[in-house]
């Protein structure tokens, strides 16, 4: 069963077309990044999925429930952050979460326990009794995550969840999302942070001007567009002979070396990457400190797509 | 994993109502209106003796004078407790947190409305209690008409809250909704009534005109319409006394119609 199904979704704001027959399916247990420039239709899609606005045409289903028709059933399994979360400033995080938890029918004892758990997870446990009015933007963002996961939802719809967070906060949010993926949750993540998407999502949906322009795994997209990049850090700079050897590797399409850093435009799957790493260590005799796929591949795809459609 | 119970609409209404009441308490609006109620009551009781003016001879006249503030009290309460009830969810974007929950918008409106009713009821009730005790202390009697007046005041508060909720659902800003409801009830409708009265037309359909039964019931007039012709002058002064049944129906209609309209609007309103 698909977790999210979007069929011919169209939305007009007056004369402005925000979504143009958008079609998308997200299987259960997958984490899908939702990418697109500002005004592409990401927030509109998310708002329709959360029953905040109605589509002009088309349908959106969450776990089989039409969100416009059976909103309560659909929303029961959704945890969401939409835009920058704002809360009732006169409440404390505990009271705010308690309000939302009670509305969702969580029993008092379980709710108390759960609130403590989620506040600890987003590192707000020391602010539990402080009014939200005193919170910074980053803290509100953390609280936004806490309310989204409070009821242990099956589907998480997150609109820029790391917005306004410091680097540590961003890292922590990524870790939380990764853990949720491991728990089998379905995550639909709209973000401008491509490295975040690259790190936590198994596939991406690219949208521009209200139309879906691509939906595939990051690897497949990189393969199709030959834009996979690998960044290698070495203990000492590679010499000319070593550079030549690297260039001879079949999947390495372009190699550039700058001091201790080697960037390779790569074409190949995980097995090929493993082979390449083995090759660099055993044949090229490089002393490798780090070897990782770069989010620049995804960035390149994103820019290319947006440019092409524009 | 933890257990989640299926919440009934009624239970959810209770939850929304409790947190809305907490909002009124935390934002000190209840305290502000309480202060207004106590100050006005004190002035009504303290000013006459302070200027060596005797209280009216009849307890009914005292009650009429004392309760003339109820109209304004209800309007102030309406603006305080209902003006931003719905508009703020859109304006301050708290709706992004509240609306993606499995709660019908009708339930949210009902909970907020009940909280507003309770808040206004408490304030108006306190004012009537002070009136009752004052009459008992000063005149040594109790007035049964106070109960009827209180019932009419309750109908008026339902109508005022309905109208204010309607403005709150129609407008984007809380301040706009609050000011519109206040000026509509305090200035625009009374001015319209004044103009209609001058022309000899009874504005029976106006909520503020109908609310005059709150004081009219204390000492009902024997005639419905008084036509006063000023001698040697073309001016004719009309005085209308609202009919109790008609006014009750008008107040109830305002309450039901505005609430139904609010529910229809809020159900369709998009959180863009």
């Amino acid at each position: 069963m698909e977790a999210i199904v979007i069929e011919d979704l169209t939305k007009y704001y007056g004369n402005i077309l925000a979504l143009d027959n958008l079609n998308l399916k997200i299987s259960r247990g997958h984490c899908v990044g939702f990418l697109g420039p500002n005004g592409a239709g990401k927030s509109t899609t998310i708002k329709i999925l959360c029953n905040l606005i109605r589509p002009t045409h088309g349908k959106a289903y969450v776990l089989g429930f039409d969100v416009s028709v059976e909103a309560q059933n659909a929303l029961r399994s959704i945890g969401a952050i939409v835009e920058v979360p704002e809360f009732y400033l006169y409440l404390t995080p505990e009271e705010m979460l308690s309000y939302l938890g009670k509305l969702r029918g969580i029993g008092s004892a379980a709710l108390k326990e759960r609130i403590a758990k989620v506040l600890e997870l987003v590192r707000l446990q020391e602010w539990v009794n402080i009014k939200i009015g005193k919170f910074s933007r980053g803290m509100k963002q953390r609280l936004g995550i806490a309310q989204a996961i409070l009821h242990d939802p099956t589907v998480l719809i997150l609109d820029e969840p790391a917005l306004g967070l410091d680097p540590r906060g961003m890292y922590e949010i990524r870790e939380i999302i990764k853990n949720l993926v491991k728990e089998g949750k379905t995550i639909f993540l709209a973000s401008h942070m491509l490295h975040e998407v690259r790190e936590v999502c198994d596939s991406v949906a690219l949208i521009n001007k209200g139309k879906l322009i691509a939906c595939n795994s990051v690897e497949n997209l990189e393969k199709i567009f030959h834009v996979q990049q690998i960044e290698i850090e070495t203990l000492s700079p590679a010499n000319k002979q070593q550079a030549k050897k690297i260039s001879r590797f079949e999947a390495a399409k372009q190699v550039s070396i700058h001091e201790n850093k080697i960037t390779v435009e790569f074409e190949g799957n995980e097995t090929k990457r493993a082979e390449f790493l083995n090759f660099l260590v055993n044949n090229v005799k490089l002393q490798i400190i780090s070897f990782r796929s770069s989010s620049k591949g995804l960035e390149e795809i994103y820019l290319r797509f947006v440019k092409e459609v524009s | 994993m933890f257990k989640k119970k299926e919440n009934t609409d009624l239970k959810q209404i209770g939850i929304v109502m409790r947190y809305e009441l907490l909002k009124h308490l935390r934002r000190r609006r209840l305290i502000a209106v309480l202060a207004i109620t106590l100050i006005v009551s004190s002035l009504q009781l303290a000013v006459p003796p302070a200027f060596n003016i005797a209280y009216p001879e009849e307890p009914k006249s005292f009650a009429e004078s004392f309760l003339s503030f109820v109209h304004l009290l209800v309007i102030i309460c309406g603006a305080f407790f209902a003006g931003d009830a719905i508009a703020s969810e859109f304006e301050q974007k708290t709706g992004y947190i509240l609306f993606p929950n499995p709660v019908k918008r009708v339930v949210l409106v009902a909970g907020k409305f009940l909280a507003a009713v309770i808040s206004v009821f408490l304030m108006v009730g306190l004012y009537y209690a002070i009136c009752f005790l004052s009459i008992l202390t000063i005149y040594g009697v109790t007035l049964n008409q106070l109960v009827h007046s209180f019932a009419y005041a309750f109908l008026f508060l339902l109508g005022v809250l309905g109208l204010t909720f309607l403005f709150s659902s129609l407008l984007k800003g809380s301040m706009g909704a609050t000011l519109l409801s206040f000026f509509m009830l305090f200035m625009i409708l009374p001015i319209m009534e004044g103009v209609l009265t001058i022309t000899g037309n009874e504005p029976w359909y106006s909520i503020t005109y109908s609310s005059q039964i709150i004081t009219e019931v204390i000492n009902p007039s024997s005639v419905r319409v008084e036509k006063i012709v000023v001698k040697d002058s073309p001016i004719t002064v009309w005085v209308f006394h609202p009919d109790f049944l008609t006014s009750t129906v008008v107040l109830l209609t305002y309450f039901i119609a505005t609430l139904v309209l609010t529910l229809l609007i809020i159900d369709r309103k998009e959180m863009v």
Side-chain angles (χ1 to χ4, degrees):
Chain A
M1 189 193 194
E2 308 287 352
I4 297 174
V5 176
I6 292 170
E7 285 177 357
D8 301 325
L9 209 60
T10 304
K11 177 69 182 174
Y12 276 94
Y13 292 115
N15 291 326
I16 300 163
L17 180 62
L19 285 182
D20 187 4
N21 279 303
L22 184 74
N23 285 284
L24 185 64
K25 280 182 184 174
I26 299 172
S27 303
R28 270 187 175 214
H30 284 266
C31 181
V32 177
F34 197 35
L35 303 177
N38 290 332
K42 300 190 300 289
S43 288
T44 300
T45 310
I46 283 177
K47 283 177 188 176
I48 291 173
L49 284 170
C50 294
N51 194 39
L52 291 164
I53 57 174
R54 287 162 196 264
T56 309
H57 175 255
K59 297 273 181 195
Y61 300 91
V62 173
L63 297 177
F65 296 110
D66 183 336
V67 289
S68 295
V69 181
E70 301 160 283
Q72 317 313 316
N73 286 330
L75 292 172
R76 213 159 272 140
S77 11
I78 293 177
I81 297 181
V82 187
E83 293 201 349
V84 180
E86 287 298 340
F87 299 89
Y88 302 116
L89 305 179
Y90 50 87
L91 295 180
T92 65
E94 189 174 34
E95 288 166 342
M96 185 73 232
L97 295 180
S98 182
Y99 181 20
L100 300 174
K102 281 175 187 168
L103 282 177
R104 285 189 175 270
I106 306 173
S108 297
L111 183 58
K112 206 173 172 188
E113 208 174 293
R114 183 68 184 163
I115 288 171
K117 194 176 173 185
V118 294
L119 285 177
E120 195 183 341
L121 203 65
V122 297
R123 285 200 305 119
L124 282 176
Q125 70 273 29
E126 284 166 23
W127 295 79
V128 68
N129 289 318
I130 308 288
K131 292 214 178 101
I132 301 167
K134 292 183 179 164
F135 278 26
S136 68
R137 188 176 167 179
M139 289 163 82
K140 283 185 194 168
Q141 196 72 23
R142 287 168 185 274
L143 189 56
I145 306 267
Q147 65 80 29
I149 59 175
L150 177 70
H151 51 289
D152 195 25
T154 318
V155 178
L156 275 141
I157 298 172
L158 308 173
D159 191 1
E160 300 281 359
L163 198 74
L165 295 180
D166 55 28
R168 185 181 166 187
M170 286 185 194
Y171 168 77
E172 284 167 354
I173 297 303
R174 278 202 297 276
E175 291 305 304
I176 290 171
I177 297 172
K178 279 182 192 172
N179 283 333
L180 291 167
V181 175
K182 276 182 203 160
E183 284 172 24
K185 310 283 184 207
T186 306
I187 297 174
F188 190 43
L189 171 74
S191 177
H192 280 119
M193 294 177 194
L194 300 180
H195 65 281
E196 178 183 81
V197 172
R198 180 80 174 81
E199 210 177 315
V200 301
C201 298
D202 44 46
S203 53
V204 290
L206 278 158
I207 182 177
N208 195 24
K209 294 184 175 174
K211 270 186 185 295
L212 185 75
I213 47 182
C215 185
N216 213 322
S217 69
V218 179
E219 270 192 6
N220 279 346
L221 285 172
E222 286 174 338
K223 205 171 165 186
I224 294 164
F225 287 88
H226 311 293
V227 290
Q228 194 182 151
Q229 263 188 3
I230 295 173
E231 284 179 0
I232 305 147
E233 219 181 322
T234 54
L235 201 59
S236 53
N239 56 38
K240 278 185 185 174
Q241 220 175 354
Q242 285 173 315
K244 239 180 197 176
K245 273 189 179 175
I246 299 168
S247 306
R248 274 189 217 132
F249 191 85
E250 196 195 342
K253 298 298 169 193
Q254 199 177 322
V255 181
S256 60
I257 300 170
H258 181 71
E259 293 180 351
N260 291 10
K261 199 175 163 189
I262 305 168
T263 309
V264 181
E265 277 198 18
F266 195 84
E267 195 181 315
N269 57 15
E270 282 175 348
T271 318
K272 206 78 182 162
R273 279 213 301 272
E275 260 178 49
F276 185 50
L277 176 61
N278 200 29
F279 171 79
L280 293 174
V281 174
N282 298 321
N283 293 41
V284 187
K285 306 286 183 196
L286 283 174
Q287 289 179 293
I288 293 171
I289 300 168
S290 73
F291 177 96
R292 63 189 175 94
S293 289
S294 150
S295 62
K296 280 180 184 159
L298 186 56
E299 192 176 281
E300 181 65 29
I301 296 166
Y302 173 80
L303 291 173
R304 220 183 273 185
F305 257 127
V306 172
K307 201 175 168 186
E308 270 174 26
V309 175
S310 298
Chain B
M1 198 60 195
F2 47 88
K3 276 185 183 174
K4 279 176 258 183
K5 286 176 279 181
E6 196 77 9
N7 256 351
T8 60
D9 287 350
L10 211 61
K11 199 173 174 192
Q12 285 181 329
I13 288 172
I15 294 164
V16 175
M17 189 190 76
R18 279 208 302 277
Y19 278 87
E20 196 70 7
L21 282 170
L22 184 63
K23 175 176 95 176
H24 297 324
L25 266 174
R26 290 267 168 94
R27 295 202 302 183
R28 304 204 174 112
R29 292 195 174 186
L30 262 174
I31 293 164
V33 180
L34 179 66
I36 292 170
T37 310
L38 293 175
I39 289 167
V40 172
S41 312
S42 308
L43 286 174
Q44 300 246 38
L45 293 169
V47 168
F51 288 93
N52 285 325
I53 302 166
Y55 289 121
E57 276 183 23
E58 287 290 315
K60 282 184 178 178
S61 303
F62 176 87
E64 263 186 306
S65 161
F66 197 92
L67 296 179
S68 60
F69 176 66
V70 170
H71 304 86
L72 184 57
L73 179 64
V74 171
I75 293 168
I76 292 171
C77 286
F80 268 51
F81 300 126
D84 69 346
I86 297 168
S88 68
E89 300 289 357
F90 292 86
E91 187 184 25
Q92 289 162 22
K93 300 189 174 180
T94 44
Y96 285 134
I97 294 291
L98 189 61
F99 297 149
N101 285 289
V103 186
K104 292 175 192 148
R105 295 216 181 159
V106 172
V107 166
L108 293 173
V109 173
K112 284 167 178 275
F113 192 84
L114 275 176
V117 169
I118 290 169
S119 305
V120 187
F121 183 85
L122 284 174
M123 293 302 127
V124 176
L126 174 69
Y127 193 73
Y128 270 89
I130 294 169
C131 181
F132 175 82
L133 289 173
S134 304
I135 292 168
L136 192 64
T137 313
I138 299 166
Y139 301 97
V141 294
T142 56
L143 280 183
N144 289 338
Q145 287 88 340
L146 280 185
V147 178
H148 296 117
S149 173
F150 187 57
Y152 290 135
F154 183 68
L155 282 182
F156 180 52
L157 83 83
L158 289 179
V160 167
L161 289 178
L163 201 65
T164 315
F165 262 70
L166 178 62
F167 291 144
S168 190
S169 65
L170 274 172
L171 299 185
K172 280 183 181 171
S174 307
M175 189 57 79
T178 305
L179 290 177
L180 179 62
S181 58
F182 186 79
F183 285 112
M184 175 68 79
L185 293 160
F186 188 61
M187 286 175 73
I188 299 168
L189 287 177
I191 289 170
M192 183 199 81
E193 284 160 26
V195 172
L196 285 167
T197 306
I198 289 168
T199 59
N201 292 295
E202 186 189 11
W204 58 268
Y205 38 81
S206 165
I207 183 172
T208 42
Y209 173 78
S210 300
S211 74
Q212 287 175 25
I213 56 171
I214 294 170
T215 43
E216 185 73 21
V217 74
I218 303 290
N219 203 1
S221 171
S222 52
V223 287
R224 284 260 295 111
V225 185
E226 292 174 54
K227 186 181 175 186
I228 305 159
V229 181
V230 183
K231 206 177 178 185
D232 300 327
S233 162
I235 299 169
T236 307
V237 179
W238 296 84
V239 179
F240 295 102
H241 297 276
D243 174 60
F244 289 103
L245 182 62
T246 310
S247 297
T248 303
V249 172
V250 167
L251 292 176
L252 273 173
T253 307
Y254 267 90
F255 161 56
I256 294 164
T258 50
L259 203 57
V260 168
L261 274 173
T262 303
L263 294 174
L264 289 173
I265 291 165
I266 198 67
D267 198 43
R268 283 159 179 73
K269 195 164 180 176
E270 296 195 331
M271 187 84 205
V272 181

